[in-house]
Amino acid sequence: MVMIIPTVSVALYLTYKLRDSTTELLHNLAVCCWILANSVWMTGEFYANDGYRPYATVFFISGLLLVAYFYLFAQHKKTQD
């Protein structure tokens, strides 16, 4: 539980530093979402009798949508330019 804050902080820092590239930005945002999802899920398992799973699902789906957007639209647009 103690490592949630440093892990999320490093992920957000890397996302900020690499924001100039659409590829890096979207993939790093997805990683941030997945780390947050795992953190929320883990916290729910420990303290809320698995009551936070719906909140974790939102983060998981957000990460999946970011990667899907990249591979369906952003990468396609980049190859056409």
Side-chain angles (χ1 to χ4, degrees):
M1 295 297 296
V2 174
M3 292 308 294
I4 291 173
I5 293 172
T7 304
V8 171
S9 298
V10 169
L12 291 172
Y13 173 75
L14 289 173
T15 301
Y16 178 76
K17 290 296 280 187
L18 300 170
R19 71 188 181 279
D20 294 333
S21 167
T22 303
T23 302
E24 292 294 329
L25 177 64
L26 291 176
H27 281 88
N28 284 328
L29 283 172
V31 168
C32 288
C33 287
W34 293 331
I35 291 171
L36 287 169
N38 283 315
S39 299
V40 169
W41 192 335
M42 178 178 61
T43 303
E45 291 270 330
F46 285 149
Y47 299 113
N49 197 21
D50 203 23
Y52 296 165
R53 190 176 293 201
Y55 304 111
T57 304
V58 171
F59 288 114
F60 277 123
I61 291 172
S62 298
L64 183 63
L65 289 174
L66 284 165
V67 172
Y69 171 78
F70 173 74
Y71 285 107
L72 293 174
F73 302 108
Q75 184 180 12
H76 180 69
K77 180 181 168 186
K78 188 170 122 178
T79 57
Q80 286 185 347
D81 290 339

